[in-house]
């Protein structure tokens, strides 16, 4: 079965057309084509490629996700994959499943309405995916098999001690306020991949996974289940990120609104788009650039990197306490996969608990899967490049397989 996977981020649309060998969850995937449209909302950077090397590279205005989807579908058509025998199903990543979606769902009108209705708790998160879903339906027809896979689903069974905020329970329940957690596909991928690499049952493992990209989060995984995660009601909570502050004193937004004479939306915008690495360094949200500046003695860049690493280290310690130690700490995401310096800083001084990096292996591991801890270390440290699309394709195929079996009965 050929499945088109569409993964909309905050300013990107990524896609892959994957051939799965069997219509079962144990499928192996071959990537027939794929690509990314970066910087949606401005001068979009288009980079598409087929497995035979046929490609499209272009910079042009891409106003929104509808236009991005059209560009993607036009290209897929041009390489012959819209014909019979081309795409047979579509899997969409949807960021927020809210209180309703705890597993993948076949997309129909009712599911689209339900995702739309989630707007009250997730005003920004699902719009890009909804646009892509609507474009795909307009292109392929309303009965074309499509599945939504939710980033929040992995965290939906966290214990209440981790998922609830200490606010009046009536208010929390009235507004469906809980710690939903995000990046679920990434954390799940790292955990499942670690189990495969080490040939150990996921059920026996305690893991701390770190997804460190533009958005950053950590998850404590016990027996294959997420038992706590650092993002909360929104992806603003937790670790310091590219432009997001992560945790601040909850009093701060009100304080800033009053003392700066702005409304609360403005403060939320500061915390979401002007804080984190960008806000502290005053220069960039890009870790690579900050490491460069830091090596030239830029004090604010150094401070930004220091806070970033300290927060991540503190979170690892908290999760060791939550799950009683760990078999492994796993790094993923653009920073986690590519920056030996950040990984070394985060793991420094943790020998006391059995976590020690092999300096040379860490330094030599950039963008590849590897164990970077010392042979003698009690806690493994791994770099596992995250492949969210692999999770989406498996969930899509499994979901369609279950429904088909059900219909055949
Ligand atoms: P997103 O969360 O948007 O998917 P990514 O996972 O692509 O983001 O991560 C982007 C971050 O990864 C940026 O801060 C970028 O600087 C960082 N990054 C990429 N390569 C390197 C590198 N070699 N060294 C340090 N940071 C890197």
């Amino acid at each position: 079965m050929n499945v088109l996977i569409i993964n909309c981020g905050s300013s990107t649309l990524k896609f892959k057309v994957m051939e799965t060998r069997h219509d079962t969850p144990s499928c192996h995937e071959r990537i027939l084509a794929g690509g990314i449209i970066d910087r949606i909302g401005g001068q979009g950077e288009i980079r598409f490629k087929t497995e035979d090397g046929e490609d499209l590279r272009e910079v042009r205005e891409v106003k929104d996700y509808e236009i991005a989807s059209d560009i993607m579908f036009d290209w897929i058509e041009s390489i012959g994959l819209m014909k019979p025998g081309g795409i047979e199903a579509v899997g969409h990543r949807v960021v927020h499943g809210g209180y309703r979606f705890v597993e993948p769902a076949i997309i129909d009108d009712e599911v689209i309405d339900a995702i739309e209705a989630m707007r009250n708790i997730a005003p920004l998160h699902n719009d890009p995916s909804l646009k892509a879903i609507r474009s795909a339906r307009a292109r392929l027809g309303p009965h074309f098999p499509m599945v939504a896979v939710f980033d929040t689903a992995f965290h939906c069974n966290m214990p209440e001690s981790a998922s609830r905020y200490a606010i009046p329970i009536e208010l929390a329940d009235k507004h469906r306020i809980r710690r939903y957690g995000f990046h679920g596909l990434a954390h799940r991928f790292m955990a499942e991949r670690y189990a495969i690499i080490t040939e150990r049952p996921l059920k026996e493992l305690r893991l701390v996974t770190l997804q460190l990209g533009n958005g950053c989060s950590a998850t404590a995984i016990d027996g294959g289940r997420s038992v706590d995660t650092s993002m909360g009601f929104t992806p603003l909570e937790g670790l310091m990120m590219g432009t997001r502050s992560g945790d601040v004193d909850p009093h701060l937004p009100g304080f800033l609104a009053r003392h700066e004479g702005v409304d609360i939306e403005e403060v939320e915008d500061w915390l979401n788009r002007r804080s984190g690495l960008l806000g502290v360094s005053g220069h960039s949200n890009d870790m690579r650039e900050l490491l460069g500046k830091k090596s030239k003695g830029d004090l604010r860049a150094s401070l930004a990197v220091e806070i970033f690493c300290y927060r991540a280290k503190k979170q690892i310690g908290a999760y060791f306490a939550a799950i009683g130690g760990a078999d492994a700490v796993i790094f993923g995401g653009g920073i986690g996969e590519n920056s030996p310096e950040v990984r070394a800083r985060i793991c420094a001084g943790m020998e006391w608990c059995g976590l020690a990096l092999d300096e040379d292996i860490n330094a030599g591991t950039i963008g590849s899967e590897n164990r970077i801890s010392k042979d003698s270390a009690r806690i493994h440290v791994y770099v596992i490049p995250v492949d969210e699309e692999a999770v989406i394709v498996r969930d899509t195929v499994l979901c369609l397989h279950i429904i088909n079996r059900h219909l055949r009965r």
Side-chain angles (χ1 to χ4, degrees):
M1 177 186 261
N2 295 335
V3 186
L4 166 65
I5 300 301
I6 304 180
N7 182 350
C8 294
S10 53
S11 62
T12 58
L13 182 153
K14 292 188 220 162
F15 73 96
K16 278 184 189 162
V17 181
M18 295 164 112
E19 181 196 72
T20 60
R21 205 180 297 161
H22 312 289
D23 297 350
T24 68
S26 60
C27 50
H28 294 280
E29 302 94 20
R30 181 175 138 214
I31 299 165
L32 304 178
I36 181 167
I37 305 182
D38 213 345
R39 300 182 205 278
I40 294 172
Q43 284 299 306
E45 287 172 27
I46 300 165
R47 296 191 298 277
F48 298 168
K49 202 166 84 199
T50 66
E51 65 170 352
D52 306 326
E54 207 179 314
D55 67 353
L56 175 72
R57 281 175 171 268
E58 232 177 78
V59 176
R60 68 160 125 146
E61 193 182 349
V62 182
K63 228 172 47 207
D64 55 32
Y65 284 85
E66 244 167 85
I67 293 174
S69 301
D70 281 344
I71 295 170
M72 173 192 71
F73 276 118
D74 286 346
W75 185 72
I76 292 176
E77 190 154 20
S78 78
I79 57 168
L81 284 174
M82 296 288 271
K83 289 197 280 233
I87 297 165
E88 293 157 276
V90 183
H92 292 268
R93 170 182 173 227
V94 178
V95 173
H96 210 317
Y99 39 86
R100 154 93 192 257
F101 295 106
V102 296
E103 48 190 35
I106 301 272
I107 297 175
D108 57 19
D109 290 336
E110 194 269 328
V111 165
I112 293 178
D113 289 346
I115 296 172
E116 183 113 55
M118 228 68 83
R119 279 178 133 257
N120 60 341
I121 55 167
L124 302 174
H125 310 69
N126 289 342
D127 276 3
S129 321
L130 273 170
K131 292 227 164 75
I133 288 171
R134 292 207 164 100
S135 287
R137 290 185 107 212
R139 223 43 197 237
L140 300 164
H143 302 297
F144 197 85
M146 288 196 208
V147 173
V149 180
F150 299 90
D151 231 359
T152 44
F154 185 50
H155 306 297
C156 70
N157 289 319
M158 289 194 302
E160 276 193 289
S161 50
S163 68
R164 280 212 180 260
Y165 290 105
I167 60 173
I169 225 155
E170 299 77 14
L171 268 181
D173 290 349
K174 179 177 169 193
H175 297 287
R176 313 259 195 191
I177 296 169
R178 56 161 283 175
R179 304 189 60 255
Y180 287 103
F182 298 87
H183 283 159
L185 301 172
H187 291 291
R188 210 179 110 197
F189 179 85
M190 287 187 265
E192 289 173 0
R193 183 72 202 143
Y194 178 80
I196 291 170
I197 300 167
T198 56
E199 298 180 353
R200 292 187 59 193
L202 197 51
K203 286 224 159 343
E204 288 174 10
L205 298 172
R206 287 162 307 153
L207 305 168
V208 177
T209 49
L210 294 154
Q211 167 68 13
L212 306 179
N214 247 321
C216 300
S217 66
T219 296
I221 300 173
D222 196 355
R225 288 182 39 220
S226 163
V227 293
D228 202 350
T229 192
S230 59
M231 286 176 168
F233 182 59
T234 74
L236 183 57
E237 188 179 339
L239 303 179
M240 179 184 186
M241 313 184 207
T243 62
R244 286 176 235 156
S245 62
D247 290 340
V248 293
D249 185 326
H251 195 67
L252 214 62
F255 177 91
L256 283 172
R258 281 188 299 276
H259 289 264
E260 289 290 314
V262 296
D263 56 26
I264 205 75
E265 285 78 16
E266 178 89 22
V267 180
E268 283 171 358
D269 194 62
W270 291 347
L271 296 178
N272 272 296
R273 290 189 230 279
R274 288 174 47 190
S275 299
L277 293 173
L278 173 66
V280 176
S281 71
H283 175 71
S284 169
N285 63 331
D286 191 300
M287 181 58 91
R288 233 171 332 189
E289 280 187 39
L290 296 184
L291 292 171
K293 286 212 146 241
K294 174 177 161 287
S295 68
K296 295 196 183 89
D298 185 302
L299 291 180
R300 280 180 64 177
S302 298
L303 179 61
V305 174
E306 206 172 303
I307 302 173
F308 182 92
C309 296
Y310 173 69
R311 294 273 202 101
K313 179 200 290 286
K314 203 162 71 160
Q315 195 66 69
I316 294 172
Y319 287 162
F320 284 173
I323 54 176
D327 296 284
V329 171
I330 305 171
F331 285 94
I335 300 172
E337 292 162 24
N338 295 303
S339 177
E341 181 174 346
V342 170
R343 295 191 301 251
R345 279 176 155 261
I346 292 173
C347 296
M350 294 186 80
E351 292 79 7
W352 61 271
C353 66
L355 194 156
L357 293 191
D358 181 311
E359 277 177 38
D360 294 334
I361 297 179
N362 180 43
T365 302
I366 298 175
S368 57
E369 184 176 283
N370 214 355
R371 198 187 86 196
I372 56 170
S373 47
K374 284 188 175 149
D375 284 345
S376 58
R378 215 170 48 244
I379 299 176
H380 277 167
V381 184
Y382 265 79
V383 174
I384 298 186
V386 169
D387 185 353
E388 289 176 325
E389 286 82 12
V391 181
I392 304 171
V393 78
R394 266 168 239 163
D395 276 5
T396 301
V397 171
L398 179 62
C399 187
L400 292 171
H401 189 65
I402 291 170
I403 295 289
N404 284 340
R405 223 174 34 199
H406 188 71
L407 290 177
R408 275 202 297 269
R409 272 203 198 127

